[in-house]
Amino acid sequence: MTPRALVPIVAIMALALGGVPAAAAQQVPPRPAGGGPKPMITVAATGRHQLPSTRVTTPPVVDGRLDEAIWHEAPVATDFTQQRPNSGRPSRFRTEARVLYDSRNLYVGIHAFDPAPDSIARQLSRRDVDEIYADYVWVSFDTYNDRRTAFSFGTSAAGAQQDVFHFNDTQDDNLWDAVWESKVHRDSTGWTAEFRIPLSQLRFTIPPDGGALSWGINFGREVARDGETSFWREVPADQPAYVSRFGDLTGLTGLQSPGRLELLPYARSQVTTQSGIPAGDPFTRDVKPAQAVGVDFRYRLPAGLTLTGALNPDFGQVEADPAVVNLTQFEVFFPERRPFFLEGADIFSFGRTLTLNDNSSNIFFYTRRVGRAPRRRFGDALFADIPRQTPILGSAKVSGKTDGGLSVGVLAAVTSQESGRWLDTLGNVRRDMVEPRSEQVVARLRQDFRDGNTVVGSFTSYVNRELTDDALRPLMPNRALVGGLDFEHAWDSRTWAISGLWATTRSDGDTRFIRGLQRAAPRLFQRPDAPWLGVDSAATQLTGSYAALSFAKLAGKRWLGSVTLEQTTPGFDLNELGFGTRADFRTFSTLLSYRNPSQSRWFREYSVGTGTTASWNFGGDKIEERHALFGEALTNNFISLGFDGFYSPSYGDDRTTRGGVLTQLPAFWRLSGRVRSDSRKPVIAALSLGWRADASGKSITSAGVELDVRPVPALRLRVSPQLDLRFDNAQWVANAADPTATGTAGIRTVLGEVRQNELSITTRVDWTFTPYLSLQMVAQPFISAGQFERFTWLRQRGTFDRGTFGANGSTVVRSAGAVTVDADGAGPATPVTFGDPDFTVRAMRGNAVLRWEYAPGCTVFFVWQQQREGFDPTAQLALGQQLFDVYRDRMTNVFLIKATYWIGP
């Protein structure tokens, strides 16, 4: 295509106000007068409905009106069937869909009849935003014709686009973006939508003989005021199927092979300002400018594959992670926010069986590991200047699916060597390496059989680096390898399934690093009461494995259920390119649920269920047992309800002491409930309450409120305060060798009774001027305070028996920011000293993003980010004043402009 000139930035846009949806409309007549030809639908021998396509020489004008004669001459798909609220019944309103094509584009016209056009929901939103009050129409193409993979394109009645990539029949990648056009129009008969979808945005293979193509196809419609979802080819609510239910689009001939290359160059300019810079900091500047350029690209390969790459990828408009206070031994998981890694990430998914209940937290490819923050820190530095992220020199991935049913996903990335500066105690500025150059590769393969009902696959990830700096060798491996195999086998229309997987991990590195891996929280090989473990100080390699097997009933009119077995060996570690929280366990999990997906007297749909989970470590200690009861429902007046209840009898815990002996946790119970008002209204309120307690007095009480206000179709305001009140009487504080601690194998484990209050308030404002111009603002103040009221120690392995420091001859001394405890005062017990753990943490995260898609695929971002952080070494449990103090803490602002420009066929 001919490159387009950049359009100047528009300073002022008009805001069009809309009305509140009217009352629900009545059923339209079976067919409007006139209306063009009768449907030309046939049924193939396979039972799939066929819709003939119509080739055009003069393409229609994409204006949303469907007034060209060719639209009325094309075969029509109609007679839609409800999925919700009454699965299997005809749709209340008539819908007509047609498909035209030429050598370079598909054209889709959809007429959504509605006898009450003023009641059509038309809330404005930017692209790919869900949970809005709007009517939608969709078209989906299975261009691989494999009954498992599809590309979907949809638009709301207000013109907001959505596009989705479907894989594995029912799974979605909502972050896939295509470059296409759509327009909508409302009239006295309802509303119409018109799409132009370039063939370059689809993935298909032209037959060698030039014969006609046949693709899977389906159309969908959502009527917001009735909560109705319907499809041309029925998609039952009680079946785990989507793409496999499609009909066929037939007679596609003379298609040109689309251009192979798409480019998306970008340019970014930003300024960072900081306040409250500490005196003597030689590295931080109050104003710091920066610029960057780079390019993303896509290149069509043979056999239905696509090469996607990035040179100097940019993460400038990324929203900041929320603030958290983590008192556990486990790493906090943060979701990926970088567009390059988000799009198509699901093709690399591995590590889950087809089950309704499992106990694994493993993520085999955690994309945030690529370009992660450098791991070296300068412990004795007065000030340090270390990059927040490791730059990615380049990244590329090959993905797609061949005609033979082989799904391929391969990603490779190279991150650069990085250095940091620091000021030592003598006043010298030094520069040292903080992260080496690294290469990362991830590969995922899946082969379909039996129309996708049987699948076998593999997964591999590999990290390689040369650690030339000895200071880095204790921090990371030279090489890390993960390999795995999985399978799925389903039958009876995917109602029943058996699935399983096996994976192995291996890390090679310096003895200091491998020793650290063995002692880290997921493994804790140093536990003195675990003879099957033990730290090998001379080891230069750590290996482990994970396996799972599930049998499940995934569909049916009422009952669903699953049984899952899992095993993770003690040496399992995938955290170099993945995410996992613990090893050394065997788990048995079950779930049984009853659901009614169709409308009844009181509910539009509801479900209830129960599940159990039990785990043992490799020494045979039971380390987890819980029994759950849960349910959710949507009433006929669109009020959402939900509850969860858990009960756990007393069981052992080999993680609380963080390398000490096994302790026994008291029985605990947890209850939570939530209610949300009618989502069709301009004001929506939601309330969630939670309570957890155990037999020893430990408790967590939480309350959350969400207010969602849509005064006009263009504006949406959401406020979500969350308050958590926690009392933990067994928070780990320290471990120390003490020969007198005979009941705990010579380790004195100090625990604290901590009272923690936490408050967060998330405020979001979405102002959508048009579907292509929007302003989004987010503010997230966060305050957390923890007061350690008493310190105790564990007396005996396998119990919850604790002694209290400061009673019966023991002592506790708090002074000058330190605490010293002694189990017998002047006796032979070893005193333990640690920093005073009381804290108050304040944080503020703010974002404002003006997004303008000035042409298909071309976008300009104007971004303002603000972060504030504060810390006090005392506990301020009254959080109200802290909420105001956060606005006086040290502040960082980022002002950014970024422009992208799409060049494609």
Side-chain angles (χ1 to χ4, degrees):
M1 63 173 287
T2 303
R4 295 153 295 186
L6 283 173
V7 181
I9 306 302
V10 174
I12 300 175
M13 301 295 291
L15 172 63
L17 304 182
V20 178
Q26 300 299 314
Q27 171 76 25
V28 299
R31 184 169 180 83
K38 294 181 180 180
M40 297 171 59
I41 306 299
T42 60
V43 180
T46 60
R48 285 162 63 104
H49 283 61
Q50 297 182 334
L51 173 68
S53 58
T54 300
R55 186 180 178 92
V56 296
T57 56
T58 302
V61 177
V62 181
D63 57 8
R65 294 181 180 273
L66 306 182
D67 49 6
E68 291 95 341
I70 189 63
W71 283 120
H72 300 285
E73 299 170 4
V76 57
T78 187
D79 298 331
F80 281 44
T81 303
Q82 291 186 47
Q83 183 188 61
R84 286 183 171 83
N86 296 300
S87 183
R89 295 186 184 179
S91 174
R92 292 183 64 230
F93 303 145
R94 183 176 180 82
T95 307
E96 294 184 350
R98 298 170 170 87
V99 177
L100 311 175
Y101 75 98
D102 57 27
S103 61
R104 301 180 65 87
N105 301 283
L106 293 171
Y107 304 92
V108 179
I110 301 177
H111 193 158
F113 291 92
D114 196 317
D118 290 340
S119 297
I120 296 171
R122 301 174 66 236
Q123 182 184 344
L124 278 167
S125 72
R126 60 185 175 85
R127 182 176 181 144
D128 288 335
V129 173
D130 53 9
E131 296 183 354
I132 63 170
Y133 182 65
D135 284 24
Y136 269 92
V137 291
W138 287 86
V139 60
S140 302
F141 297 101
D142 174 10
T143 58
Y144 291 110
N145 214 21
D146 63 357
R147 302 194 182 192
R148 293 180 66 87
T149 310
F151 304 89
S152 288
F153 305 85
T155 182
S156 74
Q161 291 183 339
Q162 287 198 355
D163 36 27
V164 176
F165 175 67
H166 304 274
F167 63 100
N168 200 20
D169 197 2
T170 58
Q171 295 177 278
D172 300 334
D173 177 7
N174 294 310
L175 298 165
W176 173 74
D177 282 330
V179 180
W180 56 290
E181 295 181 68
S182 64
K183 296 291 184 182
V184 298
H185 175 69
R186 186 175 57 158
D187 58 25
S188 61
T189 66
W191 66 286
T192 52
E194 194 169 16
F195 303 165
R196 183 184 72 86
I197 303 169
L199 295 175
S200 64
Q201 302 304 296
L202 305 174
R203 301 294 176 259
F204 62 94
T205 301
I206 297 177
D209 60 2
L213 287 172
S214 177
W215 293 343
I217 190 171
N218 207 354
F219 303 94
R221 180 180 178 182
E222 298 177 18
V223 181
R225 67 182 183 275
D226 293 336
E228 179 183 294
T229 302
S230 60
F231 294 93
W232 172 56
R233 301 317 313 139
E234 182 185 0
V235 181
D238 58 2
Q239 291 290 330
Y242 179 63
V243 181
S244 59
R245 307 287 302 193
F246 284 14
D248 291 320
L249 178 68
T250 62
L252 295 164
T253 60
L255 302 185
Q256 288 187 9
S257 179
R260 293 186 177 274
L261 181 63
E262 296 178 40
L263 298 175
L264 190 68
Y266 80 87
R268 171 175 57 85
S269 178
Q270 73 179 53
V271 174
T272 302
T273 67
Q274 297 193 56
S275 66
I277 300 173
D281 185 347
F283 307 120
T284 307
R285 298 289 180 264
D286 54 357
V287 178
K288 181 180 179 181
Q291 298 80 34
V293 294
V295 62
D296 294 348
F297 63 87
R298 291 179 182 173
Y299 186 78
R300 289 171 57 89
L301 300 172
L305 304 179
T306 301
L307 171 65
T308 307
L311 300 177
N312 192 30
D314 177 65
F315 313 127
Q317 76 274 19
V318 172
E319 181 177 328
D321 293 321
V324 296
V325 171
N326 182 22
L327 298 182
T328 74
Q329 67 270 43
F330 301 116
E331 179 184 5
V332 176
F333 176 84
F334 290 111
E336 178 63 88
R337 301 180 185 275
R338 298 171 295 181
F340 175 80
F341 291 105
L342 283 171
E343 185 175 331
D346 290 331
I347 200 170
F348 296 97
S349 62
F350 176 84
R352 285 287 190 273
T353 57
L354 297 177
T355 181
L356 304 176
N357 181 27
D358 62 11
N359 201 32
S360 172
S361 62
N362 295 328
I363 299 174
F364 278 74
F365 182 30
Y366 183 34
T367 54
R368 289 187 66 135
R369 303 295 192 204
V370 182
R372 68 197 302 175
R375 277 170 276 189
R376 183 178 180 182
R377 292 295 181 267
F378 306 113
D380 55 350
L382 299 177
F383 297 98
D385 178 24
I386 299 174
R388 291 180 176 270
Q389 291 179 310
T390 304
I392 301 174
L393 298 177
S395 184
K397 56 186 173 185
V398 174
S399 60
K401 192 166 189 176
T402 69
D403 291 339
L406 177 64
S407 298
V408 177
V410 179
L411 182 145
V414 179
T415 55
S416 66
Q417 174 181 304
E418 282 298 300
S419 297
R421 298 179 298 167
W422 58 290
L423 184 68
D424 65 20
T425 55
L426 299 177
N428 300 314
V429 175
R430 301 173 58 180
R431 178 183 290 272
D432 289 291
M433 190 187 302
V434 294
E435 191 76 14
R437 178 187 171 98
S438 301
E439 296 88 33
Q440 298 102 8
V441 178
V442 180
R444 178 74 162 117
L445 302 175
R446 287 169 62 91
Q447 177 66 57
D448 297 352
F449 302 96
R450 299 175 55 243
D451 290 328
N453 288 302
T454 299
V455 182
V456 295
S458 66
F459 176 88
T460 304
S461 70
Y462 181 68
V463 179
N464 181 66
R465 56 175 65 94
E466 294 297 329
L467 297 175
T468 58
D469 190 325
D470 186 67
L472 297 178
R473 290 174 182 156
L475 304 179
M476 61 195 73
N478 297 5
R479 286 169 297 277
L481 177 66
V482 178
L485 302 171
D486 63 346
F487 78 93
E488 300 172 7
H489 179 70
W491 63 95
D492 192 11
S493 298
R494 297 183 63 83
T495 298
W496 300 88
I498 184 170
S499 57
L501 68 97
W502 171 85
T504 182
T505 64
R506 169 179 156 179
S507 298
D508 297 315
D510 186 90
T511 56
R512 292 166 293 176
F513 172 74
I514 300 300
R515 188 161 58 245
L517 273 187
Q518 296 175 76
R519 299 177 63 89
R523 284 159 294 279
L524 300 177
F525 280 16
Q526 70 272 31
R527 283 181 50 208
D529 59 340
W532 65 94
L533 300 175
V535 175
D536 182 354
S537 298
T540 58
Q541 185 182 101
L542 182 68
T543 60
S545 66
Y546 169 76
L549 181 67
S550 295
F551 175 72
K553 184 177 186 287
L554 301 172
K557 293 295 184 182
R558 294 292 183 264
W559 293 97
L560 307 177
S562 68
V563 176
T564 300
L565 300 172
E566 298 170 86
Q567 173 177 288
T568 305
T569 65
F572 184 75
D573 175 65
L574 49 73
N575 281 315
E576 193 60 29
L577 266 182
F579 183 94
T581 56
R582 73 155 296 154
D584 187 19
F585 72 91
R586 295 185 173 106
T587 295
F588 176 72
S589 303
T590 66
L591 186 140
L592 180 67
S593 70
Y594 176 88
R595 66 174 182 172
N596 185 351
S598 298
Q599 194 165 8
S600 61
R601 180 179 180 185
W602 302 105
F603 300 104
R604 296 176 67 84
E605 56 185 84
Y606 66 88
S607 65
V608 294
T610 182
T612 63
T613 299
S615 301
W616 297 261
N617 63 26
F618 274 55
D621 302 309
K622 179 176 282 191
I623 55 174
E624 183 178 20
E625 181 180 353
R626 63 177 184 265
H627 306 274
L629 180 67
F630 56 88
E632 57 185 14
L634 179 64
T635 69
N636 283 328
N637 56 358
F638 288 85
I639 295 176
S640 300
L641 306 169
F643 75 91
D644 296 284
F646 285 88
Y647 171 72
S648 287
S650 179
Y651 59 79
D653 179 23
D654 57 5
R655 289 298 182 264
T656 290
T657 59
R658 304 196 188 184
V661 297
L662 180 88
T663 185
Q664 189 78 7
L665 294 184
F668 80 86
W669 43 91
R670 189 185 83 188
L671 297 172
S672 64
R674 54 201 174 274
V675 59
R676 185 180 181 88
S677 66
D678 188 344
S679 59
R680 303 170 300 170
K681 303 298 183 182
V683 178
I684 306 168
L687 173 66
S688 61
L689 298 172
W691 177 68
R692 170 175 170 160
D694 70 18
S696 70
K698 179 178 179 178
S699 67
I700 302 175
T701 303
S702 62
V705 177
E706 180 179 352
L707 190 64
D708 188 340
V709 182
R710 301 175 303 213
V712 293
L715 183 62
R716 184 181 187 188
L717 302 93
R718 286 170 286 173
V719 181
S720 307
Q722 176 75 32
L723 176 65
D724 293 333
L725 306 176
R726 303 169 182 166
F727 175 70
D728 189 346
N729 54 10
Q731 173 61 51
W732 178 87
V733 176
N735 283 341
D738 186 347
T740 68
T742 56
T744 53
I747 295 179
R748 183 74 62 188
T749 297
V750 181
L751 306 172
E753 294 187 353
V754 57
R755 194 170 301 278
Q756 183 181 0
N757 294 348
E758 194 166 280
L759 174 66
S760 64
I761 304 174
T762 301
T763 302
R764 295 181 180 271
V765 179
D766 297 312
W767 200 345
T768 308
F769 305 101
T770 75
Y772 308 101
L773 178 65
S774 61
L775 174 65
Q776 183 180 61
M777 295 176 287
V778 181
Q780 298 173 306
F782 170 87
I783 302 97
S784 182
Q787 184 175 50
F788 285 74
E789 300 175 340
R790 190 168 62 152
F791 298 100
T792 63
W793 77 89
L794 185 65
R795 293 180 187 270
Q796 189 69 37
R797 179 196 184 275
T799 72
F800 198 67
D801 182 23
R802 296 168 299 152
T804 301
F805 289 106
N808 300 321
S810 64
T811 60
V812 54
V813 179
R814 304 181 78 155
S815 63
V819 180
T820 299
V821 294
D822 194 317
D824 60 1
T830 303
V832 182
T833 300
F834 48 88
D836 194 325
D838 283 1
F839 66 88
T840 299
V841 173
R842 297 181 300 272
M844 174 71 178
R845 302 287 188 267
N847 257 48
V849 179
L850 180 67
R851 181 185 184 276
W852 180 29
E853 187 175 351
Y854 60 87
C858 306
T859 311
V860 176
F861 298 92
F862 296 86
V863 182
W864 170 43
Q865 296 178 345
Q866 184 180 104
Q867 296 189 33
R868 296 175 181 265
E869 295 181 352
F871 175 81
D872 290 330
T874 59
Q876 305 292 331
L877 296 180
L879 301 179
Q881 182 59 46
Q882 300 297 314
L883 191 61
F884 293 98
D885 289 344
V886 72
Y887 292 95
R888 294 195 290 267
D889 289 326
R890 180 176 177 178
M891 176 178 61
T892 300
N893 284 296
V894 177
F895 302 92
L896 178 149
I897 300 175
K898 176 184 175 181
T900 66
Y901 179 69
W902 181 77
I903 303 172

